[in-house]
Amino acid sequence: MERKDLELLAPAGTWEALEAAVFAGADAVYLGGSHFGARAYADNFGPEEMTRAVRFAHLHGVRIYVTVNTLVDDEELPAVGEYLCFLSNIGVDGIIVQDMGIIRIARKVAPELPLHASTQMTVTNSAGVMFTYHNGMAQAVPARETSLKDLKTICSRTPSKIENFMHGALCICYSGQCLMSSLIGGRSGNRGRCAQPCRLPYTLVNQEGKDMLAKVDAGHYLLSPKDLNTLDILPQLIQTGVKSFKIEGRMKRPEYVAVVTDIYRRAFDSYIEGHYHVPAEDKQNIEQIFNRDFTTAYMVGRPGRTMMSDRRPNNRGVLIGRVQSLAKDHTTGTVKLDKDLHLGDGLEFWVSVGGRVGTTVEHMKVNGKEVPVARAGSVVTIPVPRGIRLNDRVFRTYDNQLMQYAAQFFGEDHKKRIPLYFQVTAHLGQPMEITATDEEGNQGKALTGFIVEKARKHALDQAAVKKQVDRLGTTEFSLGELTCDLDEGVMVPMSEINEARRAAVDELTEKRLAAFLPPRKKAVWHNSVLDQRVNHGQRKHSELSVHVDTLEKAKVALEAGADVLILGGDSYTLPLLTLDDYKTIAGWVRNKGKKWLAATSRIVSEGQLKYYQNALAQWAALEPDAILIAN
């Protein structure tokens, strides 16, 4: 296995996070534009910044995928079409989508723009992946509830490239099936505006309003899952056949993107080299940068309530010790450390009697002496906030040393530039020639407009040439090696050298970009794409459809005037309807001159496909008026 066989896919919500992802070793980055992305509250990328982002990433050999994964309204379709053309024309490597309308438009106006089926499409089985494949989607992201076993089956049965989440936040709902934010907050997750109601406190009550968990050791954040972390099972995840491994986190700060991407990069590399290993320090750092505690979710087994972070809906930090003693005035305290502590670290005390209070370590003492670092096992004295009690747990929520490490992956001062190899030739009576070559063999050449002549004062030497060639400014390049072939006693104006260097680098840049992604035909939006409507005529009156899952409900619905009965699908009543029940209800419907539909469940796992293959054939024999599918 080679590195190109596995794609490490990192998130970016800001330019700094994009740099962090690229420089920490991502093979691809997914980000959102100003519209139509499922993270409307991230900073996201405007048109100019998006264009710059694609160019930047491609120069560094990294792919860019753009999220266009919200549901859209009819009046938005022209804007969507123009946006898709823009993304194709600037060279985006793929878009992540869930709306079938967007898929149809993209295939018509930007056929060279690759499509990825978003996890929001709730693809839960191989048949679902095949559906996306036949609708022009070469890559699919299954629902996060898919097990390793089912992922392996899906990968073996489909030609699609499978992209799967491996780290980051989880939702309590099934992927793509949440309406909670919309219903109680007026902000739809399917429109990119999830208010994250699952991170709020709740009480589980019975019919009398009594707290059912009052005597149970449970927190208040009953709908808040832990974060996904697959470092311990990454080899098994790779062996399923998944090809693209995705980190969640477009709302996260660049330091998070840097640390998580860097750790997974090295984990993947160790697997590829045949000796998978994740150092203990990496496991500690990935926990430190952000965690709600960790889980592997549904990949292996059914975790039940152990998957929930019911005591903390946001970053809980890392436990570093407990309060051992307090000064009489309670302004300082001692902590027995389980881990090293540095000046600048942020701490949070989990107070015994409710609540949490925080502080930043600005000075500390060990054995009465001021120290910059207190080692694990020592007892450190630090200023503490009011309300702290003996034996309170102390968590580090901000690791100053780790943040400094993360900062090396982004920002102008930490740019990882691409080395170029320059050949400069200056012969008397000819133009100077500058050739720039990168490590992949892409090359740019330029001649000066000036003809090399005898020097009147200062002759050209390699040091003078190097000074001008090395002036690569804010480009993505740096001077790797310089070879000069200069006649003795000749001169060329510095401005001419600069202009030739600039032209050579520009030519190399365009060749490098074209080598990474060959030019596409220009995509152009035309409103006629939306004009293909089908006229079914008008109904004489509205129809009342009723979803039923028992014989009694079907009978009552028909007697009350239902025009259409929908049978089966998601059911909250046992026993489920049998084939004989379907026959009985179908007879009642026909006698009343009404209609009936057979329905599938919203979620169909890989193991249920055989059941539905049989059920669909049995339903078809009963001649329903239609079949209602949701998967």
Side-chain angles (χ1 to χ4, degrees), residues 208-487:
E208 290 75 42
K210 293 181 179 178
D211 185 353
M212 296 179 68
L213 301 179
K215 297 181 180 180
V216 179
D217 184 26
H220 296 293
Y221 300 95
L222 304 180
L223 301 181
S224 179
K226 296 175 181 177
D227 286 350
L228 180 64
N229 180 338
T230 61
L231 282 173
D232 287 340
I233 61 166
L234 193 58
Q236 295 96 300
L237 182 56
I238 294 171
Q239 289 157 15
T240 64
V242 168
K243 296 300 182 186
S244 181
F245 300 82
K246 193 169 189 175
I247 299 166
E248 184 278 336
R250 281 194 292 131
M251 300 286 283
K252 294 289 200 303
R253 57 195 297 173
E255 290 88 349
Y256 173 88
V257 175
V259 169
V260 177
T261 303
D262 174 53
I263 288 172
Y264 274 97
R265 175 74 273 157
R266 286 183 281 105
F268 275 110
D269 289 346
S270 72
Y271 179 87
I272 292 167
E273 292 163 5
H275 53 85
Y276 182 73
H277 175 64
V278 181
E281 184 181 10
D282 281 357
K283 291 185 177 182
Q284 293 170 11
N285 286 342
I286 212 164
E287 180 184 10
Q288 180 67 71
I289 199 66
F290 191 96
N291 83 91
R292 298 179 179 93
D293 205 352
F294 289 129
T295 178
T296 54
Y298 301 100
M299 289 192 180
V300 284
R302 296 282 176 173
R305 66 166 291 189
T306 62
M307 182 176 142
M308 306 307 292
S309 176
D310 56 10
R311 296 187 181 279
R312 188 67 188 260
N314 49 16
N315 185 25
R316 62 193 291 141
V318 173
L319 180 65
I320 64 163
R322 289 180 179 268
V323 176
Q324 197 172 63
S325 66
L326 290 166
K328 289 184 179 180
D329 61 1
H330 281 218
T331 58
T332 62
T334 62
V335 178
K336 177 69 179 294
L337 293 176
D338 297 326
K339 292 181 171 59
D340 292 354
L341 183 66
H342 297 80
L343 289 178
D345 284 358
L347 302 181
E348 194 171 78
F349 296 80
W350 287 33
V351 182
S352 304
V353 187
R356 298 174 178 88
V357 291
T359 187
T360 299
V361 181
E362 295 179 349
H363 54 88
M364 56 184 174
K365 292 181 179 180
V366 174
N367 297 325
K369 295 182 179 179
E370 291 277 351
V371 293
V373 182
R375 298 300 179 187
S378 65
V379 177
V380 63
T381 302
I382 57 173
V384 296
R386 291 288 178 184
I388 305 303
R389 299 191 178 192
L390 292 179
N391 212 37
D392 282 348
R393 289 182 293 172
V394 186
F395 287 78
R396 179 170 54 216
T397 54
Y398 182 95
D399 186 325
N400 191 39
Q401 193 175 43
L402 180 60
M403 297 300 270
Q404 289 179 27
Y405 172 79
Q408 71 178 308
F409 292 103
F410 59 92
E412 192 62 33
D413 294 339
H414 303 289
K415 188 181 284 289
K416 294 186 179 180
R417 302 183 192 274
I418 302 157
L420 296 183
Y421 305 90
F422 284 91
Q423 170 72 41
V424 179
T425 304
H427 295 312
L428 187 65
Q430 299 176 20
M432 172 185 273
E433 181 179 76
I434 297 181
T435 302
T437 308
D438 65 17
E439 291 176 326
E440 285 76 40
N442 300 299
Q443 198 170 79
K445 293 183 179 181
L447 300 174
T448 58
F450 181 87
I451 302 301
V452 179
E453 61 182 39
K454 282 284 186 183
R456 295 182 181 88
K457 291 184 179 180
H458 303 291
L460 197 63
D461 59 15
Q462 182 154 335
V465 171
K466 182 178 180 180
K467 184 177 180 181
Q468 301 310 311
V469 170
D470 199 19
R471 296 179 64 180
L472 291 162
T474 58
T475 70
E476 299 303 317
F477 302 107
S478 64
L479 174 59
E481 292 180 8
L482 171 64
T483 304
C484 291
D485 180 8
L486 311 175
D487 285 353

